[in-house]
Amino acid sequence: MIHVRQEAFGCIGDSGSVMVRVIPRPGAVVIEGPDTLCAGEELHLHVSGPDTVGYVWHTPQGTVQGDQLHLPEVSEANGGLYISAATYQGCSGEADEHLLVVHVPQPPPIAAEHRLCDGGAIAFQVPQGYSDILWSTGATAAGISVVAGGDFLVTANDPNGCPVAASFTVEVDDCELVVPNVFTPNGDGTNDVWAPTGGFIQADVRIRNRWGGLVHEGDMVRQPWRGRHHRSGEPCADGVYFYEIAISRSDGSMRTLTGYLQLLY
């Protein structure tokens, strides 16, 4: 109760009284819930406190009321700062802030369609940072080698922990085995390397100069010849070279090819 009276020029007026009611300020709140989610997952944030107070939320999508905040499926737009405070008869308590990060799932970057030469192989790889990898072949390694056609699927958790998947199809072609007879390793970006093409998984080659000296050897699948000596690294001279290639196919069969190629600059 507050009593009030007016005084002026030594005169005192009648007194009056005013009833003042003090409303207790609500206590501080603590928001509980996840800090990070993947797009499509459920969001559930809540605060606790007496039943006699209300709660107001300020979210990236606007203001809502209640002691709980629920979104069945979050999107990237739902990421941001969430603020909540208790309210009681017009008075607000100390607010709490909660930052939510929403990650967009990142499927492995594998194209949907691929062509495979019969007898060859295609390597598929999930990038570094993915975990819990499982291919439809049963393999759990980061990469697999496919030697037959079909439909394939890989599932994993992306670098942010979001579950992702990629599906792809491999179709088999009957490719002709081609061994080039000339190449020009002059660095112009055209015809700079020499290697056979076709359906095989390994192509071990030996290349000799006109005097029988070995200038290059190795698997052409791993490393084509760039016209340099395999030991010195120096460019080989213009001329005709003799090659011998041992071709291995995915079915276990092998064949040997011999012939001549010309190196030009």
Side-chain angles (χ1 to χ4, degrees):
M1 178 75 71
I2 296 176
H3 298 278
V4 180
R5 69 180 182 181
Q6 184 178 22
E7 294 184 10
F9 305 105
C11 299
I12 300 175
D14 295 335
S15 64
S17 59
V18 177
M19 179 68 69
V20 177
R21 185 162 59 96
V22 178
I23 299 173
R25 183 180 296 275
V29 300
V30 176
I31 301 174
E32 298 180 1
D35 298 315
T36 61
L37 287 174
C38 300
E41 292 183 329
E42 180 183 26
L43 171 64
H44 187 196
L45 298 177
H46 69 278
V47 293
S48 58
D51 294 337
T52 54
V53 302
Y55 300 93
V56 60
W57 295 82
H58 300 282
T59 78
Q61 283 70 49
T63 302
V64 295
Q65 306 284 335
D67 62 347
Q68 299 188 43
L69 181 65
H70 177 250
L71 296 175
E73 292 186 6
V74 297
S75 67
E76 192 175 14
N78 297 125
L81 193 62
Y82 289 74
I83 303 172
S84 182
T87 62
Y88 180 68
Q89 296 189 10
C91 297
S92 297
E94 183 180 350
D96 189 26
E97 297 181 351
H98 186 88
L99 181 63
L100 175 68
V101 177
V102 178
H103 296 293
V104 176
Q106 304 173 35
I110 299 177
E113 297 182 354
H114 301 266
R115 312 295 298 189
L116 168 66
C117 286
D118 185 29
I122 302 179
F124 295 94
Q125 186 81 21
V126 173
Q128 187 176 2
Y130 287 72
S131 60
D132 298 330
I133 299 168
L134 178 62
W135 301 85
S136 54
T137 61
T140 57
I144 62 170
S145 181
V146 173
V147 298
D151 296 322
F152 298 86
L153 174 71
V154 59
T155 59
N157 291 331
D158 72 10
N160 293 316
C162 299
V164 292
S167 59
F168 56 96
T169 299
V170 176
E171 295 187 5
V172 179
D173 292 332
D174 187 12
C175 303
E176 180 184 2
L177 181 60
V178 177
V179 181
N181 58 11
V182 64
F183 80 120
T184 56
N186 53 15
D188 66 356
T190 301
N191 202 27
D192 281 334
V193 298
W194 181 87
T197 59
F200 50 85
I201 59 173
Q202 190 168 336
D204 292 320
V205 66
R206 287 176 175 269
I207 301 175
R208 300 180 184 275
N209 59 25
R210 67 181 66 186
W211 299 283
L214 185 66
V215 297
H216 182 78
E217 64 178 342
D219 183 6
M220 294 283 96
V221 174
R222 297 177 180 271
Q223 182 64 55
W225 189 35
R226 300 183 180 276
R228 293 181 176 271
H229 196 283
H230 69 131
R231 290 188 177 175
S232 70
E234 294 296 322
C236 294
D238 283 12
V240 177
Y241 292 81
F242 175 78
Y243 66 80
E244 181 180 7
I245 310 175
I247 298 290
S248 301
R249 291 169 53 88
S250 59
D251 60 6
S253 62
M254 298 182 63
R255 61 184 295 195
T256 299
L257 303 175
T258 59
Y260 295 91
L261 68 99
Q262 188 170 14
L263 187 157
L264 297 173
Y265 289 104

